Amino acid sequence: MSRATPPRPSPVDRHLHRATRALPHQGGYLGFAGILEGTPPGVEELRDLVADAVARVPAWRYRVCADNRRVWEPAHGQDPRGHVHELRLPEGPVTLEEIARAAHDAPFPEGADNWGIWLVTGWAPDRYALACRVHHALQDALGGMAGISAFMVPGLELPLGVPPDAEPPFRPVRTARWAVRTLPALVRPTARWSPARQAAGTTRTLHVTSCDTGRLTALARAAGASLNQIYLATTAGALRAWTPEDWTARGAGPLHSFVPAESRPPGHETATLGNHLAALRAELHCAEPDPRRRLDLMRPSTDRHAAEVPQQRAALRAVPRVAGLAVRCLLNRSRTALLTTNVSLGAGLVVNGHPVRGLACLPPLLFGHPLSVALTTYAEQATISFTSDRDDADPGRLPQLWQESLTELEEAYAPV
């Protein structure tokens, strides 16, 4: 695909474009914050690195435009150095959560509001942090990380999109079978949830907790589940404890979460412009008191194979009007209560010769949802981030409740 011609926006891109314009805060941005070991670079040095990287990341040479049909437009004449900002913290001990929260709350300067990189310094002479935030209509999480990888691999050239000949074929009969099997469940309303009945605030909060990745993988082996299913079952237990009054009524249905599923064809994971996402609608059975049963009840709705991800992608391209209606139906807050995403970042990341020692996601807050939850696994650490714009129930309780739910699930699968 030509570097000068952007791919056609999908219904997901257009829906994100509409959703972000109505937000009273910067909830339409996603990002990451990472702590690095080494002497911090100067902000001008970082601007030089960014300018070099942007020359090799074509998506960052676009901006979100006012036209919902086009979604993006070339950012002609925009200086990439203007997208790099400095953030200083007081000297002394600081946590990854405090760094992530500072970056999460930092305003975008006028004229540089599609993406930004923050150099966070001041708390230690041999530690610093980098945070990247990008408008969700411009990129998804893996696209953003692909852009950041240009800092780590000098000379790396990223494509603008997936070549048309690599796209999965649209198979009407197979897609119709998938639709008949899955779409009726997608239109069923989600459980009534007290945070969703409150008015959204004008600001967001971010809270973070972490655990050893090994705890999640060991539990996944014991339960015969995927790491993603363990994360979602643990989140269901935390939400049960967060608003217990919502789950006392007999017959309370599941709370549904939107789980993005990567849809890029194999071999094209570095394509960066737009959102390459299919959808899982996970059932979080918060009314179920038994942690093992909460996991078992959730398994069918998180089966990636049954989601027919390639066919979802093909349908988004082949029948965009129908697919657009399905996207709006799925993401309506009466049917999907929150976003729960999961990003695996491997290990051993290095920026400008400095190793990355910890990473946290800065999840977006969209579609009128009261909460977004993101799991980031990097090396031996799993970090869980909670973004909310509601005051009641207190979202600051969620990290502790998540840890307690994880322990509860571990004890349920402990050898007798």
Side-chain angles (χ1 to χ4, degrees):
M1 180 175 291
S2 169
R3 292 171 66 92
T5 304
R8 184 177 63 185
S10 73
V12 176
D13 298 316
R14 293 192 176 97
H15 191 57
L16 283 165
H17 186 280
R18 283 191 296 269
T20 54
R21 295 183 69 180
L23 292 173
H25 44 57
Q26 296 175 344
Y29 290 84
L30 58 87
F32 296 90
I35 296 178
L36 292 92
E37 183 180 85
T39 303
V43 68
E44 292 302 322
E45 180 184 353
L46 182 60
R47 285 174 176 150
D48 290 340
L49 288 171
V50 169
D52 173 73
V54 169
R56 298 178 278 111
V57 183
W60 287 1
R61 300 199 297 272
Y62 284 79
R63 63 187 171 207
V64 177
C65 64
D67 184 351
N68 182 256
R69 181 180 60 84
R70 290 188 299 143
V71 180
W72 321 294
E73 64 185 6
H76 294 307
Q78 195 170 68
D79 183 0
R81 295 168 59 88
H83 290 264
V84 181
H85 322 294
E86 189 171 17
L87 185 62
R88 290 191 64 83
L89 299 181
E91 185 176 354
V94 68
T95 64
L96 178 58
E97 178 178 18
E98 291 168 328
I99 292 168
R101 187 177 296 145
H104 181 260
D105 294 339
F108 282 85
E110 185 176 354
D113 57 350
N114 287 273
W115 60 272
I117 293 175
W118 280 261
L119 172 64
V120 188
T121 61
W123 80 90
D126 57 350
R127 292 286 192 278
Y128 65 101
L130 291 177
C132 177
R133 293 160 63 200
V134 63
H135 196 295
H136 207 330
L138 195 70
Q139 287 185 300
D140 58 28
L142 288 182
M145 281 305 302
I148 294 172
S149 68
F151 297 110
M152 308 177 199
V153 185
L156 175 66
E157 295 275 349
L158 296 177
L160 184 61
V162 176
D165 58 3
E167 293 287 354
F170 177 58
R171 304 185 189 279
V173 173
R174 186 171 174 179
T175 301
R177 289 173 179 166
W178 170 81
V180 168
R181 186 176 68 249
T182 61
L183 291 184
L186 296 185
V187 301
R188 294 173 190 155
T190 194
R192 290 178 61 82
W193 193 29
S194 53
R197 297 194 293 271
Q198 301 166 14
T202 58
T203 59
R204 295 166 300 145
T205 59
L206 176 70
H207 299 281
V208 176
T209 189
S210 62
C211 67
D212 290 340
T213 306
R215 289 182 66 186
L216 302 182
T217 55
L219 184 51
R221 286 193 300 269
S226 68
L227 186 145
N228 188 55
Q229 289 172 331
I230 294 299
Y231 152 61
L232 292 172
T234 303
T235 300
L239 297 182
R240 170 180 168 82
W242 191 42
T243 61
E245 67 279 3
D246 289 328
W247 315 115
T248 56
R250 179 176 297 180
L255 198 66
H256 292 88
S257 72
F258 168 57
V259 182
E262 165 65 30
S263 73
R264 291 175 179 87
H268 295 279
E269 289 79 2
T270 56
T272 58
L273 186 61
N275 288 266
H276 301 264
L277 304 173
L280 297 176
R281 188 182 184 233
E283 294 183 353
L284 306 183
H285 290 265
C286 303
E288 172 55 55
D290 183 340
R292 289 182 68 133
R293 184 157 171 76
R294 277 200 300 270
L295 173 58
D296 290 340
L297 289 170
M298 181 262 296
R299 292 178 196 258
S301 64
T302 54
D303 184 343
R304 181 183 168 90
H305 178 73
E308 294 276 11
V309 169
Q311 290 307 304
Q312 285 197 48
R313 182 183 179 95
L316 286 171
R317 291 170 49 84
V319 285
R321 290 184 181 275
V322 176
L325 288 172
V327 168
R328 290 196 292 274
C329 176
L330 169 67
L331 296 179
N332 186 286
R333 63 179 180 178
S334 69
R335 296 178 181 87
T336 305
L338 72 159
L339 167 72
T340 51
T341 189
N342 176 359
V343 182
S344 176
L345 299 177
L349 299 180
V350 175
V351 179
N352 199 29
H354 297 161
V356 178
R357 296 304 188 194
L359 275 166
C361 184
L362 311 179
L365 190 63
L366 295 162
F367 315 124
H369 295 167
L371 178 70
S372 291
V373 188
L375 169 67
T376 309
T377 52
Y378 173 69
E380 300 303 316
Q381 185 178 64
T383 304
I384 304 90
S385 306
F386 305 89
T387 302
S388 179
D389 58 7
R390 312 297 158 97
D391 296 325
D392 187 23
D394 176 15
R397 297 173 53 227
L398 283 166
Q400 180 62 34
L401 294 176
W402 200 93
Q403 293 287 352
E404 292 172 0
S405 178
L406 176 61
T407 300
E408 180 187 41
L409 193 58
E410 286 176 321
E411 291 173 349
Y413 281 96
V416 178

